[in-house]
């Protein structure tokens, strides 16, 4: 490989492994090996959602055989990661049971039992085991109030002569972004959640 700046080329260096940062091949090569993981997991009948290097596995658990099937998929995931010399962040792996039926499932990754959680943040959205948006709504309302209080504190402590309309518009602009983050998805059928978010305005 070599680097080009203008019309000048650097000396040539042998690239033993990997891809140069910023190379156009980088996304293509990433997809080439991450798609192999999806194919491996699909052989186990597992539903897979990938977002960059985040992997979510889904399986309807009806009996012990389904648990064995999911554990087999996790074992293959570990083998795939070892083959590609990738480290798995086991401390970021969780088990979330969704639905009424709860199984006492103990699934492991590299011999570490995955903790069973009642809710988990996924791409900024809190997903709970009952699939209700209450935890997510409460979280963003609390964050919006916290941001509003910080704005109020900053204005009160530094410049008390600012007109109220200026303070109000800054608060509305800054905090509304926080409140609007995926809240509209939940409005249908949940009047209490709508009331809670709109009460902030």
């Amino acid at each position: 490989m070599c680097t080009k700046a203008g019309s000048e080329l650097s000396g040539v260096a042998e690239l033993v492994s990997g891809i140069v940062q910023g190379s156009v091949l980088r996304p293509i090569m990433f997809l080439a090996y991450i798609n192999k993981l999806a194919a491996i997991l699909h052989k186990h009948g597992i539903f897979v959602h990938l977002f960059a290097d985040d992997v979510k596995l889904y399986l309807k658990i009806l009996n012990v055989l389904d648990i064995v099937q999911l554990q087999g998929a996790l074992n293959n995931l570990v083998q795939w990661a070892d083959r590609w010399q990738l480290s798995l962040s086991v401390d970021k792996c969780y088990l979330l049971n969704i639905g009424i039926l709860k199984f006492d499932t103990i699934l492991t990754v590299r011999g570490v039992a995955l903790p069973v959680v009642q809710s988990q943040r996924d791409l900024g959205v809190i997903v709970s085991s009952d699939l209700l948006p209450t935890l997510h709504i409460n979280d963003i309302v609390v964050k919006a109030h916290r941001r509003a209080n910080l704005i109020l504190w900053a204005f009160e402590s530094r410049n008390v002569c600012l007109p109220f309309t200026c303070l109000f518009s800054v608060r509305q602009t800054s905090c509304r972004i926080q409140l609007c983050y995926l809240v509209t998805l939940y409005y249908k059928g949940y009047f209490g959640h709508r009331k809670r978010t709109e009460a902030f305005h």
Side-chain angles (χ1 to χ4, degrees):
M1 68 154 268
C2 63
T3 304
K4 183 177 181 181
S7 60
E8 299 295 320
L9 288 174
S10 69
V12 177
E14 185 179 348
L15 193 63
V16 179
S17 65
I19 297 172
V20 179
Q21 186 172 356
S23 168
V24 294
L25 291 176
R26 206 174 169 130
I28 296 169
M29 297 305 290
F30 178 77
L31 290 175
Y33 82 78
I34 203 76
N35 283 345
K36 180 69 174 172
L37 172 63
I40 290 169
L41 295 173
H42 279 302
K43 288 179 184 175
H44 287 273
I46 305 291
F47 295 100
V48 183
H49 284 156
L50 302 167
F51 182 80
D53 60 349
D54 288 340
V55 180
K56 287 176 278 301
L57 310 179
Y58 301 89
L59 182 66
K60 188 174 184 179
I61 305 284
L62 298 174
N63 52 43
V64 179
L65 293 176
D66 294 328
I67 298 170
V68 172
Q69 182 181 355
L70 185 54
Q71 183 61 60
L74 289 172
N75 294 342
N76 276 6
L77 176 102
V78 170
Q79 291 171 4
W80 174 86
D82 290 342
R83 190 178 312 121
W84 286 93
Q85 299 176 5
L86 296 171
S87 60
L88 291 176
S89 300
V90 181
D91 57 324
K92 295 181 181 178
C93 297
Y94 301 96
L95 180 63
L96 177 66
N97 288 314
I98 296 175
I100 300 169
L101 295 175
K102 305 294 181 190
F103 285 89
D104 292 329
T105 53
I106 298 175
L107 297 169
T108 60
V109 174
R110 295 195 191 281
V112 178
L114 298 180
V116 179
V117 295
Q118 295 302 312
S119 64
Q120 183 60 36
R121 187 177 298 274
D122 180 34
L123 301 177
V125 179
I126 298 176
V127 180
S128 62
S129 57
D130 56 7
L131 292 180
L132 290 175
T134 307
L135 290 175
H136 180 69
I137 298 289
N138 291 342
D139 181 61
I140 60 175
V141 168
V142 166
K143 285 181 180 176
H145 277 290
R146 193 178 303 137
R147 183 178 289 183
N149 289 334
L150 285 172
I151 291 169
L152 184 64
W153 176 84
F155 277 101
E156 283 181 347
S157 63
R158 293 198 174 103
N159 190 351
V160 293
C161 299
L162 280 173
F164 176 76
T165 53
C166 177
L167 176 63
F168 184 75
S169 64
V170 169
R171 175 185 174 271
Q172 287 294 94
T173 305
S174 177
C175 299
R176 189 165 293 186
I177 295 168
Q178 185 76 43
L179 282 174
C180 291
Y181 183 62
L182 297 177
V183 172
T184 53
L185 295 175
Y186 300 131
Y187 271 3
K188 189 175 182 181
Y190 295 104
F191 180 73
H193 297 146
R194 178 185 293 185
K195 190 175 177 182
R196 181 155 165 70
T197 54
E198 289 179 351
F200 179 82
H201 300 301

